[in-house]
Amino acid sequence: MGRRNRRGWLRQGRSGRGCFGSEPDADEYTRGVIVRPRFELLDRPLLDRILEEAFALLMNPGVKVSSPEATELLASAGARVEDGVAHIPEPLARRALQSAPREFFLYDRAGQSAVHYGADEVHFDPGSSCLNVLDPDTLQPRLAQSADLVRLIQVAETLPQYAAQSTAVVCNDIPSEIGDFYRLLLVLWHSNKPIVTGAFSADTLQAMIDLLAADSGSLDALKSKPRAVFDVCPSPPLHWTEFAAYNLVALARAGIPAELISMPLAGATGPVTLAGSVVQHAAESISGITIHQLAAPGAPIVWGGAPAIFDMSTGGAPMGAIETAMLNIACTQVGKYLGLPTHAYLVATDSKLVDAQAGMESSISAALGAMAGINMISGAGMLDSLACHSVEKLVVDAEAIASAQRLVAGIEPRTESLAVNMFAQVGFHGDFLKLKETRALFRSEQHFPSAVIDRSAREEPENAPPRNAFDRARDRVDQLSASYSQPTLSPRVKQDLLTIASREAKRAGLQYLPGIEQPLRSTM
């Protein structure tokens, strides 16, 4: 979710495999064999108070709903609708929360479950919908093109820390009316992983569903094993615009997972207190779930979001601020308290470069989000308060994510005695390197980072400065790009994707398919 889209949403309304948390199994945790580090900010009385006030907001002042179809669903179920405002009774909202699934999976192209939304499993994906990319030569932002998205996809495809792809940047060489559609097309063409995406207009959604159904073989196959989740965003405060509510209803009826992205800006479009903005996030999310579940009870949906504080000194939304991380974690804690799959926006920074500030802000929130057990954490690769994407930051963030994964794996007693037997073998000599236990276990005890992380002894000549992390990340990007392999699409899938792409491209006036380099096909 780039800054463009945060502003766009505000204007509209007012507007391994990259997964951890499932290993070891739950029994090992309950037996106390392994202590999983956890991070929570809210105790139960405060959680209950947040939900009590959220339900109160749903009745007074209520929620603006600009979609006639959604207001009809609410009114038919017992909500009072006056002047475009729905007053949703708590029992109606609670029934919707009960019918929402507690878990679901996203699948890769081979049909294997690759992302588990539920329990404390944690996955990461790159940030999405960014307008700019950082030019690694000039260190200046420039408008993103299709080739930039392809490079981001290829690098993310090779990194196991990312369980899913995202439609990471807005391709400025593509007409805006098919922009969301085209970003999804490029991901399907260049990746086998599940996808976090979104449609920012009602007109685009059906073409995107057509693409996914073609990739899966049919709409029923897509519904059975969904490959993508769609972000859907209320506009703060307490407003479901016509297209957002339409998308909620359409996704529910198609059986394709929706991911709610409530984004109160504490102090600007939400209460200045963190607790107050968590209440607003809960009210917006519960109202969205109510609309969604009324359209199709049992359809998969995620309690997600991208809340932030409003920086009174700059007028911006600092995505690297610790209070923004606290907001995201507190909001997801409410969703987990309700037993729902969760999502948050972390691992981002306000720095304009891949520098020490970026590393500090991104790694702190990666570790906190992992310890909070958030099912999908978006934001990796993003700079400048979500205004700029960097493929070099994406590979640096992968190292922060790997460290967070190691942290959450905890400390396991792997040997019969913890240390006594090893001391019995080496005594005071301290030569633990020669022990068979050392050889057998050091790879499972320690995470070994890529060459992006410099742990080597200094070897450069005395006056030559060591290469910095950004330079090492550039090398890593080149290596990963060289190792990338294009997915093998079946002839049927390739033909169906190209036929749909050609239809949409001709409608928008495109003469060829950037990033795919295939001639347009006849759609007659």
Side-chain angles (χ1 to χ4, degrees):
M1 181 207 60
R3 179 186 289 172
R4 183 200 79 145
N5 289 308
R6 174 178 288 280
R7 289 173 174 167
W9 293 324
L10 295 175
R11 283 197 301 270
Q12 289 149 12
R14 181 217 58 124
S15 266
R17 63 181 178 113
C19 156
F20 62 104
S22 59
E23 298 178 1
D25 63 43
D27 286 344
E28 289 178 288
Y29 286 115
T30 55
R31 290 199 309 269
V33 175
I34 302 169
V35 175
R36 173 175 174 149
R38 295 180 184 280
F39 182 64
E40 295 181 336
L41 287 167
L42 310 172
D43 63 14
R44 180 158 185 163
L46 186 51
L47 284 163
D48 288 336
R49 188 175 171 190
I50 286 167
L51 287 172
E52 178 184 347
E53 292 202 18
F55 286 120
L57 287 180
L58 294 183
M59 279 300 290
N60 185 23
V63 181
K64 289 179 65 178
V65 181
S66 300
S67 160
E69 190 174 21
T71 54
E72 177 60 29
L73 282 171
L74 290 165
S76 299
R80 178 167 55 87
V81 181
E82 295 176 344
D83 299 325
V85 176
H87 304 272
I88 303 173
E90 181 175 338
L92 172 58
R94 285 196 178 277
R95 286 198 299 275
L97 291 171
Q98 284 300 313
S99 68
R102 269 40 193 165
E103 64 174 356
F104 67 88
F105 293 85
L106 296 182
Y107 296 81
D108 60 21
R109 173 168 276 119
Q112 302 298 312
S113 60
V115 170
H116 179 199
Y117 276 97
D120 285 331
E121 296 217 38
V122 180
H123 314 267
F124 291 83
D125 74 302
S128 62
S129 304
C130 198
L131 192 62
N132 300 310
V133 294
L134 183 73
D135 188 309
D137 293 321
T138 67
L139 300 182
Q140 296 295 318
R142 58 170 173 75
L143 291 175
Q145 309 292 312
S146 299
D148 297 311
L149 178 54
V150 172
R151 189 166 174 82
L152 282 162
I153 296 167
Q154 291 175 342
V155 170
E157 192 74 1
T158 64
L159 289 167
Q161 289 86 358
Y162 299 111
Q165 293 276 358
S166 74
T167 40
V169 295
V170 174
C171 303
N172 290 276
D173 52 344
I174 302 298
S176 59
E177 60 265 36
I178 62 167
D180 300 329
F181 163 87
Y182 204 85
R183 292 186 295 145
L184 177 60
L185 171 67
L186 289 179
V187 179
L188 289 171
W189 196 262
H190 292 283
S191 171
N192 288 322
K193 291 185 177 182
I195 307 161
V196 179
T197 187
F200 299 105
S201 72
D203 296 338
T204 309
L205 181 62
Q206 188 55 54
M208 297 175 76
I209 293 175
D210 291 345
L211 267 186
L212 288 166
D215 185 72
S216 296
S218 68
L219 188 56
D220 285 341
L222 173 63
K223 185 175 180 178
S224 173
K225 290 188 173 183
R227 193 171 164 203
V229 61
F230 279 70
D231 290 347
V232 186
C233 317
S235 295
L238 301 172
H239 184 194
W240 284 96
T241 61
E242 183 170 9
F243 93 80
Y246 169 86
N247 282 1
L248 267 184
V249 172
L251 288 167
R253 289 175 173 163
I256 298 172
E259 187 166 80
L260 299 173
I261 306 293
S262 167
M263 48 184 180
L265 198 55
T269 62
V272 70
T273 61
L274 301 188
S277 280
V278 175
V279 171
Q280 178 181 325
H281 177 282
E284 291 174 349
S285 298
I286 293 171
S287 61
I289 290 173
T290 304
I291 295 169
H292 183 265
Q293 293 298 299
L294 286 173
I301 191 164
V302 181
W303 182 281
I309 61 168
F310 179 73
D311 191 313
M312 299 295 177
S313 61
T314 65
M319 296 306 293
I322 191 64
E323 297 88 349
T324 293
M326 293 167 69
L327 262 177
N328 278 267
I329 289 166
C331 290
T332 54
Q333 195 181 337
V334 176
K336 293 175 80 68
Y337 187 56
L338 293 167
L340 297 169
T342 55
H343 161 273
Y345 236 90
L346 299 167
V347 205
T349 180
D350 304 309
S351 177
K352 315 303 180 285
L353 299 172
V354 185
D355 59 6
Q357 178 186 342
M360 178 197 75
E361 294 174 342
S362 301
S363 59
I364 287 175
S365 66
L368 293 178
M371 288 194 293
I374 300 168
N375 298 145
M376 181 62 77
I377 299 174
S378 302
M382 301 189 88
L383 296 162
D384 194 7
S385 306
L386 310 185
C388 187
H389 225 304
S390 164
V391 68
E392 290 78 18
K393 182 174 185 293
L394 196 68
V395 301
V396 176
D397 287 345
E399 299 300 333
I401 291 167
S403 295
Q405 291 171 331
R406 177 63 189 93
L407 171 65
V408 174
I411 295 177
E412 181 179 355
R414 300 184 191 274
T415 52
E416 184 173 349
S417 82
L418 301 180
V420 169
N421 288 349
M422 284 185 272
F423 267 97
Q425 297 176 65
V426 302
F428 289 109
H429 294 294
D431 192 7
F432 291 91
L433 275 175
K434 71 179 185 182
L435 297 184
K436 64 179 181 182
E437 290 89 342
T438 302
R439 296 192 298 274
L441 296 174
F442 78 96
R443 292 187 186 280
S444 52
E445 283 291 288
Q446 300 177 11
H447 163 63
F448 290 87
S450 75
V452 170
I453 304 301
D454 183 5
R455 292 177 174 173
S456 65
R458 179 183 289 269
E459 294 180 351
E460 294 82 2
E462 185 175 344
N463 295 326
R467 302 181 76 233
N468 61 32
F470 183 74
D471 291 337
R472 298 192 297 272
R474 292 190 68 173
D475 293 344
R476 176 78 168 151
V477 168
D478 290 340
Q479 292 164 2
L480 293 173
S481 297
S483 68
Y484 164 82
S485 297
Q486 178 86 24
T488 302
L489 279 63
S490 73
R492 180 200 57 77
V493 168
K494 183 177 287 188
Q495 176 178 332
D496 290 350
L497 292 180
L498 288 175
T499 298
I500 298 170
S502 297
R503 180 192 73 196
E504 296 300 311
K506 287 179 179 177
R507 182 171 65 85
L510 268 181
Q511 301 302 311
Y512 71 107
L513 301 175
I516 293 179
E517 311 304 339
Q518 292 277 333
L520 296 186
R521 295 200 169 197
S522 171
T523 58
M524 298 300 291

